[in-house]
Amino acid sequence: MEMDIDSACKPKDEEEKAKGKPIAAILVGAPGSGKSTFCENVMRGSSRPWVRVCQDNELELLASEVFKMLKKRSIYLRLQDTINNGKSGTKPQCLKSAAASLKEGKSVFIDRCNLDKEQRVDFVSLGGPEVEVHAVVLDLPTKLSISRIVKRTGHEGNLQGGKAAAVVNRMLQNKELPKLSEGFSRITFCRNETDVDAAVKTYTAVGPLDTLPHGCFGQKDPNAKTQLGIMRFLKRPHETNTRDSVPSQLTEEKGPCGKTQETVSSSSGMPSQKIKVSEDTAPGSISQDESDIPTLAFPSISTADFQFDLEKASDVIVGKVEEFMDKLGNARLVLVDLTERSKILSLVRAKAAEKKIDSKRFFTFIGDICQLYTKGGLCCNVIANAANWRLKPGGGGVNAAIFNAGGPALEAATKEQARSLLPGNALVVPLPSTSPLYSKEGVTHVIHVLGPNMNPRRPNCLDNDYVKGCKVLEDAYSSLFKGFLSIANTQVKVPRSSGSILSGPSKLEDEISGTKTKTWAPCLQALYNIAMQPEKHNKQVLEASDDVVVLNDIYPKAKQHLLVLARIKGLDTLADARKEHLPLLMAMHEVGLRWVDKFVGEDASLVFRLGYHSVPSMRQLHLHVISQDFDSKHLKHKKHWNSFTTAFFRDSVDVMEEINNQGKATIQDEKRLMSMELRCHRCRSAHPNIPRLKSHISSCQAPFPADLQKKGRLVPEQTNSGRDP
């Protein structure tokens, strides 16, 4: 990973009109990856005031598995900053200390593992208009981390020596790499010690008045699998892993929206199923919060092949963005370029900062405009194309790339709208769902825009007439932004019955003809597409009839986890179900019971629940058939657990009874139930985190709660006795 320090840092303002924003740099890495050393090396040579806030959450997360008798110790100290006078503190105290330092204008290193989104979210919230949030990911080879842990002494949290490797192994199994969509403005990935040295130099060179470019740096493959757990390296040749010996074989393929899908050869003897769908989106998949925000990604118009002056172009961009800010609502504009050393991005960033333009609603991004989601984690429902006047592929640059990524569907859709375009104008083209840009990137519209030409080798050259050129460029950006606003403003008004696939706010509701309408992002349409056309998804479908489709969940939360889809349009969620749908719900329940009989015949220890989520994350009503062992590596977060073990999960028998008696089902409060503490679904004991909960439920012998043992909520029906030893 190369980093040009001189180009990475914005030159100091000679008149020092504005002070550089404080940075909250969240370090991400396993124990032994060098987080504390990274902080110390930067702080030793930096002229910017840095504070290191350290919480040794590696103990907090997993010490009970290996160090049951170990007393947790944490140190939160650097540059005169202490918590509890240097004594052990808590995560809230860390947050308080970091917030206080940022308020004082200091930059902060958050020195803790931060290996998943849930661990990072509170620290990311420290950001705002006056604070930039960065992530520095120390994703070094696992063997290197092991060797450091085994050798080190005097560690602040006493996580050292050979036994510590087991702790790190457990932590790496649930690792989630950060994405810009979490709220980061910059993410630096370090894959080796050379990358770390370069990152240290970059952050050391950032002075009090300097800023760093936004975007992702050093990430070779954002969809790459997590490194092998440490225990793989520690095993003796004759040792085997009982999980590895299970007859289920897993391989990886790339699925829609850039997701990793698993090919599963079931231990039950069922044929191999290539599964592409999950009730829960993958770690690298579209973020629900992110997809709620209409976003336009656009390149700099006319500054590449048309050779428009960069200074003048940056003035036009910033001026037009400022003009449209009040009209955007919650929508966002993102200026995109491929290279970290882009001069147009640097100019625009500096001028936007001078005008105090909200960096949450307008920002720059380094990446391929055709792969913003799959490669950069940025959800954009609209992208702009710097088109040629003929509106045809070719010519190189952005135009060729977008037409190539959009496929024949984009070219055909463009021809339906127009055959040519005049400078200063834009053309909005709805993208067909057959386009790869739609299915993989979540793009619903491409806006072709044509700017002024200063290149004598291209048509309509203005011969350096920048008076006319700037006017044409202003018109081009005005047309582009107006086209985007027309998309953002009309998406919420499309009735659900139209079947339109939209990428606007996925939970935004509007009153249309007296009913609430919900729009769905493209990557949340997969279940709907399979239900409507199962014949096109033979490899995923386990069973199909006129009423239902059955398939496995790609990220099962238990040993057995099926989805039974309703095959009727307009039945998107449980809230849509009415009395006329009761025969269909009964049919779905019966199909689920048949599959339960099959699974129980193969493994008599399994117990199942059949039910619906009150508010599903994917379109098309579907019944979960899930075993109650919850033995799955995909069960990682509180929301996973609470969505199946609280009142948020509506048992099928209760839903059918309510609809029969009341005409509709009761929808439970999602926000309240998802935030509830983690409790065992059998004995109802409370647990501080998912690893401890999973350790407990693997051996809990308590009977299921009495309410679950009634009315056939558990299948097979259970008695008051506990689990068989």
Side-chain angles (χ1 to χ4, degrees):
M1 178 180 67
E2 297 181 357
M3 290 192 181
D4 185 336
I5 298 172
D6 293 332
S7 64
C9 299
K10 186 178 71 175
K12 295 183 180 180
D13 187 338
E14 294 180 356
E15 298 181 2
E16 297 190 1
K17 293 180 180 179
K19 188 177 181 180
K21 294 180 179 179
I23 298 172
I26 298 176
L27 297 174
V28 178
S33 59
K35 300 184 295 297
S36 299
T37 302
F38 180 91
C39 297
E40 292 167 1
N41 289 341
V42 171
M43 296 166 73
R44 187 180 301 118
S46 177
S47 60
R48 174 183 280 255
W50 284 96
V51 173
R52 173 176 169 250
V53 176
C54 170
Q55 178 192 358
D56 285 308
N57 65 315
E58 48 213 42
L59 291 181
E60 176 187 318
L61 290 170
L62 291 167
S64 63
E65 298 295 329
V66 181
F67 305 115
K68 293 184 178 180
M69 302 304 294
L70 182 63
K71 182 179 180 181
K72 287 188 269 184
R73 296 191 293 113
S74 299
I75 298 175
Y76 311 95
L77 172 63
R78 194 67 185 183
L79 291 185
Q80 310 303 318
D81 269 36
T82 62
I83 297 177
N84 284 351
N85 295 318
K87 298 179 182 178
S88 298
T90 63
K91 181 179 178 181
Q93 289 174 318
C94 288
L95 289 164
K96 183 178 179 181
S97 177
S101 297
L102 292 168
K103 189 174 182 180
E104 293 172 2
K106 299 175 184 177
S107 293
V108 174
F109 281 121
I110 307 298
D111 183 0
R112 63 198 301 273
C113 292
N114 298 306
L115 286 174
D116 61 45
K117 183 177 178 180
E118 187 174 358
Q119 293 180 34
R120 296 186 290 262
V121 64
D122 291 331
F123 291 95
V124 172
S125 67
L126 294 170
E130 301 303 322
V131 177
E132 291 201 356
V133 181
H134 295 186
V136 178
V137 184
L138 304 182
D139 194 23
L140 303 184
T142 309
K143 286 184 178 180
L144 179 60
S145 295
I146 298 173
S147 64
R148 289 175 176 175
I149 293 170
V150 171
K151 294 176 183 178
R152 71 185 180 185
T153 59
H155 181 247
E156 293 171 344
N158 203 24
L159 191 68
Q160 58 199 37
K163 290 184 178 180
V167 176
V168 180
N169 179 63
R170 292 290 300 273
M171 297 174 76
L172 286 176
Q173 289 177 5
N174 295 319
K175 182 178 71 174
E176 291 179 90
L177 294 178
K179 290 183 174 292
L180 293 169
S181 58
E182 293 179 33
F184 294 106
S185 58
R186 177 186 175 93
I187 303 177
T188 303
F189 291 90
C190 301
R191 305 288 183 178
N192 51 53
E193 292 185 274
T194 302
D195 291 352
V196 175
D197 291 341
V200 167
K201 291 178 182 178
T202 296
Y203 276 89
T204 302
V206 182
L209 303 180
D210 297 333
T211 61
L212 286 171
H214 292 182
C216 285
F217 302 90
Q219 188 177 25
K220 296 177 182 178
D221 182 6
N223 292 314
K225 287 188 71 176
T226 299
Q227 295 184 50
L228 288 175
I230 290 175
M231 299 311 290
R232 293 291 181 89
F233 297 107
L234 298 181
K235 278 186 190 175
R236 296 182 178 89
H238 66 275
E239 289 179 335
T240 59
N241 186 318
T242 55
R243 285 188 180 275
D244 294 339
S245 65
V246 174
S248 291
Q249 305 297 323
L250 303 180
T251 59
E252 284 194 1
E253 298 182 1
K254 295 297 180 184
C257 305
K259 296 177 182 177
T260 299
Q261 64 194 48
E262 290 177 343
T263 302
V264 180
S265 185
S266 172
S267 59
S268 64
M270 296 173 65
S272 297
Q273 303 296 329
K274 291 184 179 179
I275 311 168
K276 299 183 180 179
V277 184
S278 172
E279 164 67 9
D280 298 291
T281 52
S285 66
I286 195 167
S287 161
Q288 188 71 34
D289 294 337
E290 186 80 1
S291 68
D292 283 353
I293 306 174
T295 302
L296 166 68
F298 64 98
S300 177
I301 307 301
S302 293
T303 55
D305 192 39
F306 284 179
Q307 301 178 1
F308 201 91
D309 181 80
L310 296 181
E311 277 288 351
K312 292 180 172 60
S314 61
D315 286 336
V316 172
I317 292 172
V318 174
K320 282 298 170 183
V321 167
E322 185 179 33
E323 177 185 329
F324 276 82
M325 270 289 116
D326 292 338
K327 305 173 185 177
L328 284 176
N330 72 324
R332 303 183 302 182
L333 304 175
V334 185
L335 178 64
V336 178
D337 203 345
L338 272 173
T339 173
E340 180 180 350
R341 298 176 177 85
S342 168
K343 186 175 180 181
I344 190 67
L345 292 192
S346 298
L347 289 169
V348 169
R349 275 196 301 268
K351 293 175 182 180
E354 288 176 4
K355 291 181 175 289
K356 296 185 177 352
I357 294 176
D358 185 352
S359 61
K360 297 291 186 184
R361 297 165 63 210
F362 171 64
F363 54 92
T364 61
F365 191 89
I366 298 168
D368 183 348
I369 197 168
C370 302
Q371 296 179 303
L372 293 175
Y373 170 62
T374 55
K375 295 296 184 183
L378 180 66
C379 298
C380 299
N381 58 312
V382 184
I383 63 174
N385 175 35
N388 56 47
W389 70 273
R390 295 176 300 170
L391 293 174
K392 289 187 176 181
V398 172
N399 182 67
I402 289 180
F403 268 108
N404 182 60
L410 173 59
E411 188 174 358
T414 300
K415 286 181 180 179
E416 290 180 6
Q417 299 288 326
R419 296 298 179 114
S420 63
L421 192 64
L422 294 175
N425 288 278
L427 177 70
V428 176
V429 178
L431 198 58
S433 60
T434 53
S435 168
L437 275 177
Y438 185 105
S439 59
K440 293 182 179 180
E441 301 296 326
V443 176
T444 59
H445 294 77
V446 172
I447 303 179
H448 298 297
V449 58
L450 183 60
N453 174 37
M454 296 297 178
N455 185 348
R457 293 179 295 178
R458 295 288 181 263
N460 302 314
C461 178
L462 296 180
D463 297 323
N464 288 325
D465 182 356
Y466 276 98
V467 174
K468 183 176 182 180
C470 287
K471 176 65 170 61
V472 174
L473 190 59
E474 289 173 354
D475 291 343
Y477 280 110
S478 292
S479 299
L480 170 62
F481 296 158
K482 287 177 181 177
F484 170 58
L485 290 178
S486 71
I487 297 168
N489 292 336
T490 57
Q491 282 184 330
V492 297
K493 298 178 181 178
V494 179
R496 175 170 50 226
S497 59
S498 68
S500 299
I501 301 177
L502 305 171
S503 72
S506 63
K507 289 187 176 180
L508 188 59
E509 295 182 339
D510 195 16
E511 294 295 332
I512 302 174
S513 303
T515 61
K516 288 186 176 180
T517 299
K518 180 176 181 177
T519 61
W520 298 86
C523 286
L524 306 180
Q525 301 270 356
L527 296 182
Y528 172 83
N529 294 334
I530 292 177
M532 294 302 106
Q533 295 180 307
E535 67 278 3
K536 293 186 177 181
H537 305 273
N538 290 330
K539 294 181 179 181
Q540 295 97 288
V541 172
L542 302 177
E543 175 186 342
S545 67
D546 292 340
D547 297 320
V548 303
V549 172
V550 181
L551 65 158
N552 283 304
D553 192 304
I554 184 175
Y555 299 107
K557 302 305 182 292
K559 288 182 179 178
Q560 298 292 352
H561 187 179
L562 296 182
L563 304 178
V564 182
L565 316 183
R567 294 196 62 193
I568 180 173
K569 290 184 178 181
L571 195 55
D572 292 346
T573 71
L574 185 59
D576 299 320
R578 294 295 182 267
K579 207 160 188 175
E580 61 266 26
H581 300 124
L582 194 55
L584 175 60
L585 299 181
M586 295 172 66
M588 294 170 69
H589 188 84
E590 287 301 318
V591 169
L593 289 177
R594 280 197 285 103
W595 280 90
V596 168
D597 289 342
K598 179 184 186 313
F599 292 137
V600 172
E602 296 167 352
D603 184 351
S605 69
L606 294 178
V607 179
F608 286 81
R609 284 180 74 186
L610 285 68
Y612 304 87
H613 283 158
S614 289
V615 183
S617 60
M618 297 191 73
R619 181 186 181 191
Q620 197 61 21
L621 182 69
H622 51 280
L623 174 73
H624 291 269
V625 180
I626 183 167
S627 59
Q628 296 301 289
D629 50 87
F630 293 109
D631 181 8
S632 170
K633 65 180 181 181
H634 301 298
L635 201 157
K636 300 178 180 180
H637 307 297
K638 176 185 281 191
K639 69 176 182 179
H640 293 161
W641 180 256
N642 285 343
S643 68
F644 288 100
T645 60
T646 68
F648 183 80
F649 187 79
R650 301 300 325 284
D651 287 284
S652 176
V653 290
D654 294 328
V655 166
M656 290 187 291
E657 182 179 16
E658 288 177 0
I659 291 178
N660 183 55
N661 296 335
Q662 306 168 17
K664 61 181 181 180
T666 301
I667 306 301
Q668 301 292 347
D669 180 14
E670 178 180 14
K671 184 176 181 180
R672 177 181 63 83
L673 293 170
M674 290 301 98
S675 63
M676 290 179 65
E677 63 183 345
L678 295 169
R679 287 189 173 274
C680 173
H681 63 310
R682 298 176 74 102
C683 69
R684 307 307 296 164
S685 59
H687 300 273
N689 52 47
I690 288 292
R692 293 192 184 184
L693 173 68
K694 293 175 79 170
S695 175
H696 167 80
I697 64 176
S698 66
S699 59
C700 181
Q701 303 292 322
F704 286 96
D707 62 313
L708 285 184
Q709 298 187 39
K710 300 175 181 177
K711 298 174 61 175
R713 296 186 179 102
L714 291 174
V715 186
E717 292 188 8
Q718 303 294 294
T719 65
N720 285 327
S721 61
R723 181 187 296 177
D724 292 335

